[in-house]
Amino acid sequence: MTDPRTQYLAAAPTALDLIAHPHVAAKWTEPSALEGFTVGGLTAHLAQQITSVTAALAAPPTGKEVVGLYEHYDRAAWLAADLDNDYNTSIRDGGHTAAESGPEAVHTQAAEALKALAEQLPTLEGDSTSGNPRWPYATTLDDFLATRIMEFVVHTDDLACSVGLDTPKFDQDAFDTAAAILARLAAKRHGQAALVRSLARAERAPAVISGL
């Protein structure tokens, strides 16, 4: 399996292509399939999975505690939280504010960020300190990119469903990383047996297995 830096650079163009699709611009102000988001707000949030990486790399060192990938999710205020949780409300507000610039501007900003990342990421070590500057802790670069890959996979499906398109297929290694995170979160939330039954025993599968 390739490293998360390579996976990220393979996955990001898939999301960027969907962001640029004419169906997305045509439905920009309409409600999306993700409750609380307009199509434009959801698209901007998806684009932020690219621009947030350039912001993280540009941020000065902070000396924050470095946590592992799954400890990040243990601490995440939005995970399995109510839709009106302050953190979730802030995420939606950020997407909607970014969407006010319009579909072309959202795509252009993300495309420029990805161009910079395509040059920068191959020169960096995966164990270097990174993470969203707003988080109260840090992660390694590779763990941070793994969280963005999962966001790509989940939110491209949200966006494609919102505008009546087929969900894009991702690079297999990148998809495997996202699937592993989702499976781990689902097992923690619902139990290992529930996950196994959902994947392998339809007759005993629970009705809900989401880890998010």
Side-chain angles (χ1 to χ4, degrees), residues 3-210:
D3 62 77
R5 283 147 287 150
T6 301
Q7 293 174 28
Y8 180 90
L9 291 175
T14 302
L16 192 62
D17 285 347
L18 180 59
I19 288 169
H21 198 285
H23 283 27
V24 172
K27 295 180 178 290
W28 195 254
T29 60
E30 296 181 14
S32 76
L34 189 57
E35 188 175 353
F37 269 111
T38 63
V39 167
L42 175 58
T43 305
H45 180 62
L46 179 57
Q48 286 165 349
Q49 309 318 312
I50 302 174
T51 58
S52 65
V53 177
T54 54
L57 295 179
T62 62
K64 293 177 181 176
E65 174 191 12
V66 178
V67 305
L69 176 61
Y70 291 107
E71 187 172 353
H72 156 68
Y73 287 109
D74 287 343
R75 298 189 185 194
W78 55 267
L79 189 60
D82 183 88
L83 187 65
D84 294 325
N85 169 278
D86 288 347
Y87 200 93
N88 284 333
T89 300
S90 176
I91 290 172
R92 292 195 303 274
D93 288 347
H96 290 140
T97 297
E100 291 175 0
S101 62
E104 183 176 351
V106 167
H107 175 264
T108 297
Q109 185 180 25
E112 290 175 351
L114 182 55
K115 182 179 179 181
L117 290 172
E119 297 178 357
Q120 191 173 11
L121 285 179
T123 71
L124 301 176
E125 297 296 327
D127 60 357
S128 59
T129 302
S130 188
N132 190 318
R134 297 194 303 274
W135 294 347
Y137 50 82
T139 66
T140 66
L141 174 60
D142 275 356
D143 282 351
F144 180 56
L145 294 176
T147 69
R148 301 309 93 189
I149 291 167
M150 189 270 278
E151 295 281 336
F152 281 147
V153 170
V154 170
H155 289 311
T156 53
D157 181 54
D158 290 330
L159 183 55
C161 289
S162 298
V163 299
L165 296 172
D166 291 337
T167 299
K169 291 185 178 180
F170 281 88
D171 166 80
Q172 189 63 55
D173 281 354
F175 182 80
D176 288 350
T177 290
I181 293 173
L182 292 169
R184 172 76 173 257
L185 297 178
K188 180 169 184 177
R189 185 174 181 184
H190 300 282
Q192 292 181 359
L195 178 63
V196 170
R197 291 167 184 170
S198 180
L199 296 175
R201 292 293 180 262
E203 69 275 15
R204 297 198 298 274
V208 176
I209 195 60
S210 172

